[in-house]
């Protein structure tokens, strides 16, 4: 089917919840995609930071194919090896001495972390210590609870009543955190680089202060690594570069390299809070997605691979800056999570123009063209994208 035919049927049968870019994608190889009409694109979006190993990656395909022949799903009523392996890798590579709960998305991982934090506090201090402080401009998901955890007013509409017990502190303002995180607070949850909010990295000194404050008051520090995790910023998790020790880390996007999987990783001090009957999911940690996650972690968890992510990030960033366009006001971010800062409100127009010319890019906040390419992107692909970016900017 052509794009026009597909779009007509989509409008008829699929709920109109997305302002989709006007192309229909068909297949990919590496960091290159082709649409249904055969037009080629360099992909700097990776399915919103999901396809960390690019398209048609044999490691993921072989692992999933082998697992599909053996066992795809049996539910969490039984033990399966792929899940145990993924959990072990996550625990060992983060040195958090903790345990993992598997979910199916970022929002679900955050829901799990929120439940864990509230129960941790309930078990230790009884009722009333339920508040979770997040940051203004954050993004934590689309469920009724994680929408409320998201520190942006525009998300708190239509679906009333939202889950109670969330409050918002200003990012990089420790006094604001101290004012909001009171004796009723059980957790502070934040992204180290606000992704949807505009690719805004937190100030390391602020993050350290928040960590110390959490320790002092037995408040759990939840780091939402749904976007920053799995090698995206040049370390397996971004918190490792900030030199902090979170109590809970949530992840999703890149973890399955293209299949839906999320996880909550709780450190030693709170690894046993969730007990039988307190949290569950039918699909979480199912063998077919864990086969993919194992392949991803074996590749992305390697220090040479991570060093390359950092190098590629620098290369892309410098390439963009050297365009020297008056319309580019800077590049924010770490590793291969970058935001090109353009005039306020112009980011969508630039993303559209880039896509028209053959580069897939997305947007964030009010002025960022966001780049989250496959971590495996080649120098040739980056050069091709830079040539097109030069033309567009
Ligand atoms: C994408 C994202 C989420 C939500 O993940 P879903 O898989 O869409 O539910 C949560 N937190 C952050 C930081 C994200 O980037």
């Amino acid at each position: 089917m052509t794009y026009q035919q597909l779009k007509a049927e989509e409008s008829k049968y699929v709920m109109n919840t997305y302002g989709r870019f006007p192309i229909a994608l068909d297949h990919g190889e590496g960091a290159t995609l082709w649409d249904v009409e055969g037009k080629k694109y360099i992909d700097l979006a990776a399915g919103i930071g999901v396809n960390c190993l690019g398209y048609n990656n044999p490691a993921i395909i072989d692992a999933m194919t082998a697992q599909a022949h053996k066992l795809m799903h049996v539910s969490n009523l039984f033990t399966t090896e792929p899940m145990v392996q993924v959990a072990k890798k996550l625990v060992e590579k983060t040195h958090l001495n903790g345990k993992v709960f598997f979910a199916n998305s970022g929002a679900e991982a955050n829901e799990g972390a929120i439940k864990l934090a509230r129960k941790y506090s309930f078990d230790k201090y009884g009722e009333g210590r339920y508040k979770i402080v997040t940051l203004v401009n954050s993004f934590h998901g689309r469920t009724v609870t994680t929408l409320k955890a998201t520190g942006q007013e525009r998300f708190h509409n239509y679906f009333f009543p939202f889950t109670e017990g969330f409050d918002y502190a200003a990012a990089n303002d420790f006094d604001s955190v101290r004012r909001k995180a009171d004796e009723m607070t059980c957790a502070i949850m934040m992204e180290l680089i606000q992704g949807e909010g505009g690719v805004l990295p937190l100030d390391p000194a602020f993050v350290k202060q928040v960590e110390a404050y959490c320790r002092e008051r037995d408040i759990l520090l939840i780091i939402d690594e749904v976007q920053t995790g799995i090698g995206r910023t040049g370390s397996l998790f971004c918190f490792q570069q900030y030199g902090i020790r979170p109590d809970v880390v949530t992840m999703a996007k890149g973890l399955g390299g293209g299949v839906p999987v999320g996880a909550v990783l709780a450190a030693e001090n709170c690894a046993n809070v969730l007990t039988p009957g307190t949290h569950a999911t039918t699909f979480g940690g199912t063998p077919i997605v864990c086969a993919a996650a194992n392949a991803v972690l074996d590749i992305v968890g390697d220090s040479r691979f991570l060093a390359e992510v950092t190098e590629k990030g620098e290369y892309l960033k410098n390439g963009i800056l050297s365009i020297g366009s008056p319309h580019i006001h800077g590049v924010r971010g770490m590793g291969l999570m970058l935001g090109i800062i353009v005039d306020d409100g112009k980011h969508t127009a630039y993303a559209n123009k880039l896509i028209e010319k053959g580069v897939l890019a997305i947007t964030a906040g009010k002025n960022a063209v966001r780049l989250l390419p496959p971590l495996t992107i080649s120098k040739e692909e980056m050069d091709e994208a830079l040539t097109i970016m030069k033309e567009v900017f």
Side-chain angles (χ1 to χ4, degrees):
M1 275 199 254
T2 64
Y3 171 71
Q4 292 307 338
Q5 288 165 330
L6 277 170
K7 196 65 195 173
E9 302 237 314
E10 184 185 73
S11 314
K12 198 164 165 197
Y13 298 114
V14 181
M15 282 193 205
N16 182 28
T17 58
Y18 298 98
R20 294 187 217 270
F21 291 111
I23 53 174
L25 294 165
D26 185 68
H27 65 281
E29 182 68 45
T32 305
L33 282 165
W34 285 266
D35 70 14
V36 289
E37 272 129 28
K39 185 175 165 190
K40 179 182 145 181
Y41 303 86
I42 304 297
D43 180 21
L44 303 185
I48 320 185
V50 167
N51 305 313
C52 56
L53 300 184
Y55 302 93
N56 199 20
N57 187 296
I60 293 191
I61 293 171
D62 293 351
M64 287 185 74
T65 304
Q67 190 59 49
H69 283 288
K70 277 174 79 178
L71 188 69
M72 287 206 268
H73 174 82
V74 286
S75 88
N76 281 299
L77 302 177
F78 305 93
T79 299
T80 51
E81 188 171 346
M83 177 182 77
V84 175
Q85 288 173 331
V86 177
K88 186 175 177 187
K89 284 171 194 166
L90 288 171
V91 169
E92 288 182 351
K93 286 182 185 296
T94 53
H95 308 288
L96 287 179
N97 256 339
K99 291 184 185 175
V100 180
F101 175 88
F102 288 97
N104 311 288
S105 66
E108 272 182 74
N110 286 336
E111 287 265 354
I114 290 162
K115 284 178 71 177
L116 186 152
R118 287 187 169 174
K119 186 167 183 295
Y120 171 84
S121 198
F122 181 91
D123 290 348
K124 247 175 132 169
Y125 305 102
E127 262 182 83
R129 205 169 169 274
Y130 56 79
K131 219 168 109 174
I132 294 172
V133 174
T134 67
L135 298 182
V136 172
N137 212 24
S138 57
F139 181 80
H140 297 296
R142 292 284 193 161
T143 61
V144 171
T145 296
T146 55
L147 273 176
K148 193 65 178 172
T150 291
Q152 302 185 52
E153 270 313 310
R154 67 189 175 92
F155 287 99
H156 307 157
N157 207 351
Y158 318 120
F159 312 111
F160 307 104
F162 287 94
T163 307
E164 285 174 43
F166 290 92
D167 204 352
Y168 318 100
N172 298 326
D173 180 349
F174 179 59
D175 282 336
S176 171
V177 170
R178 211 162 27 192
R179 277 197 303 277
K180 299 288 187 173
D182 54 20
E183 64 288 342
M184 282 155 71
T185 302
C186 63
I188 295 175
M189 174 157 85
M190 55 196 200
E191 304 154 88
L192 294 171
I193 304 175
Q194 295 186 324
E196 304 300 316
V199 193
L200 300 156
L202 292 186
D203 172 7
F206 166 77
V207 173
K208 285 270 190 196
Q209 281 177 308
V210 173
E211 182 195 30
Y213 186 76
C214 285
R215 286 290 105 71
E216 195 184 297
R217 304 217 158 190
D218 198 17
I219 289 172
L220 294 187
L221 178 58
I222 304 172
I223 301 297
D224 178 345
E225 295 244 22
V226 171
Q227 195 159 148
T228 53
I230 319 299
R232 179 55 55 193
T233 68
S235 48
L236 187 59
F237 290 99
C238 192
F239 80 79
Q240 295 166 313
Q241 290 186 70
Y242 275 83
I244 57 163
R245 197 180 156 80
D247 298 297
V248 180
V249 179
T250 59
M251 66 200 82
K253 292 194 167 89
L255 180 57
V259 297
V261 51
V264 186
L265 169 57
E268 198 172 17
N269 58 319
C270 55
N272 296 314
V273 169
L274 295 175
T275 49
T278 59
H279 199 41
T281 156
T282 300
F283 283 117
T286 206
I288 189 75
V289 302
C290 284
N294 271 312
V296 166
L297 290 173
D298 287 345
I299 294 171
V300 177
D302 181 79
S303 59
R304 274 161 311 181
F305 183 92
L306 291 166
E308 277 177 28
V309 171
T310 304
E311 284 164 25
K312 288 176 191 180
E314 287 300 314
Y315 184 79
L316 198 54
K317 184 177 176 171
N318 291 334
I320 293 163
L321 290 172
S322 73
I323 292 172
S325 164
H327 307 294
I328 295 176
H329 306 306
V331 178
R332 283 196 294 253
M334 290 163 71
L336 285 171
M337 178 172 182
L338 298 173
I340 307 172
I341 310 312
V342 298
D343 291 334
D344 278 9
K346 291 278 161 54
H347 52 343
T348 308
Y350 277 113
N352 276 310
K353 195 75 191 163
L354 284 165
I355 291 174
E356 194 189 307
K357 297 279 178 193
V359 168
L360 297 194
I362 52 180
T363 60
K366 59 180 180 355
N367 62 8
V369 175
R370 182 170 35 149
L371 310 180
L372 302 166
L375 306 179
T376 51
I377 191 169
S378 66
K379 183 168 175 294
E380 291 70 32
E381 286 167 323
M382 287 193 283
D383 286 340
E384 232 178 294
L386 285 166
T387 302
I388 294 170
M389 281 195 250
K390 189 167 180 178
E391 196 184 323
V392 168
F393 286 110

